Amino acid sequence: IQSINTVLLFSVDDLLNPAKLIYVKEHSNGKSLGFGKSVTWLENGNKAVLLANYYSIVDYAWSSSQIQIYDNNLSALLSHFPNNYQTLSSYFNPSFLNIISTSTSLIIVDITGNIQVIQPTPPGYYAATSTSDSDILTYSAQVPCTGGMFKNQTSLEPCLLCPIGTKASSIANIECTPCSSLSFCPFGSVNDVSYTKLEPIIPHKTYPNSPDNSLFDDILIQNMFSIGTTGR
């Protein structure tokens, strides 16, 4: 119900009472308007997909949209589209009108009628979406995960950065391998970096001490006048 910025989740007992809706929970993204314009399911109901539209507060002009993928209980946000790796083609409008799904694929329709089909990719690959600049109907392309990233399931989601302490040196990685305990391995590491190769940065000049007075007026007076103790 985008007018109240809320998505309501219900369950249905197909065997006992298929006509009765059982309230489960409600979810809102905290914005003023536009959350839940369209909803659908992926992977046979294991993932919920929500369309969130964003409007300006002043005149409620439609500015942009975002696809959000949650678990089936709306408890955890798994990914969103567009993102840093799955961007929009230049022809595709950032305001989305509707989303439709099959059991695995997601179809996005923008306000000008262009259609983007995001297809699932196997482990080690992600669905690249900025592959065309002209076609009205565009399908995602299968692209391998780059070094420092991995993907261990078939899905629409992008690759993930390797956790701290792990690395992925090749492409199309389905998992990350542990780094040496003597290596520096932050998020998204490609190779081990020995701590012995890291040089500490020592500033050429020490940082000035903080003044005893913190009020601007006191600091200004202290710098303008020299107040002695001679009684003059």
Side-chain angles (χ1 to χ4, degrees):
I1 309 176
Q2 66 166 341
S3 59
I4 60 174
N5 204 51
T6 302
V7 172
L8 301 176
L9 178 63
F10 296 88
S11 66
V12 178
D13 192 328
D14 292 334
L15 297 178
L16 296 180
N17 192 351
K20 181 181 180 181
L21 293 177
I22 304 172
Y23 172 79
V24 177
K25 67 184 301 184
E26 64 182 54
H27 182 66
S28 175
N29 67 349
K31 305 294 183 180
S32 59
L33 185 68
F35 185 67
K37 177 177 176 59
S38 182
V39 296
T40 188
W41 295 99
L42 280 174
E43 300 179 9
N44 297 317
N46 289 319
K47 294 179 180 178
V49 186
L50 312 180
L51 172 56
N53 289 326
Y54 297 101
Y55 298 81
S56 64
I57 299 177
V58 178
D59 55 1
Y60 289 101
W62 194 352
S63 58
S64 63
S65 303
Q66 185 183 75
I67 307 296
Q68 300 179 356
I69 301 179
Y70 290 82
D71 61 3
N72 61 2
N73 198 37
L74 299 180
S75 299
L77 177 62
L78 304 177
S79 67
H80 60 82
F81 174 82
N83 52 65
N84 291 336
Y85 303 97
Q86 295 171 307
T87 58
L88 293 175
S89 298
S90 59
Y91 80 91
F92 207 80
N93 195 289
S95 296
F96 305 156
L97 184 64
N98 196 12
I99 53 175
I100 308 167
S101 69
T102 65
S103 59
T104 56
S105 299
L106 182 65
I107 303 168
I108 306 172
V109 183
D110 71 9
I111 59 174
T112 61
N114 295 311
I115 299 173
Q116 170 75 66
V117 180
I118 305 179
Q119 299 173 303
T121 53
Y125 295 81
Y126 73 97
T129 51
S130 57
T131 57
S132 175
D133 292 323
S134 58
D135 295 337
I136 296 177
L137 174 61
T138 303
Y139 291 86
S140 59
Q142 182 174 295
V143 177
C145 299
T146 60
M149 306 188 74
F150 76 103
K151 184 163 166 277
N152 58 9
Q153 60 180 340
T154 298
S155 68
L156 307 179
E157 286 94 317
C159 304
L160 301 175
L161 291 173
C162 289
I164 295 175
T166 64
K167 64 180 179 179
S169 303
S170 60
I171 63 172
N173 306 290
I174 62 174
E175 62 180 1
C176 302
T177 57
C179 296
S180 168
S181 59
L182 302 177
S183 298
F184 174 68
C185 279
F187 276 115
S189 292
V190 177
N191 290 304
D192 295 71
V193 178
S194 174
Y195 280 112
T196 59
K197 296 182 180 181
L198 300 179
E199 298 181 0
I201 299 176
I202 302 175
H204 295 289
K205 295 182 180 180
T206 58
Y207 291 104
N209 295 327
S210 299
D212 295 332
N213 297 320
S214 58
L215 295 177
F216 178 76
D217 292 343
D218 293 341
I219 297 174
L220 184 62
I221 293 176
Q222 186 175 356
N223 291 332
M224 291 179 60
F225 303 99
S226 177
I227 302 177
T229 59
T230 60
R232 296 182 180 180

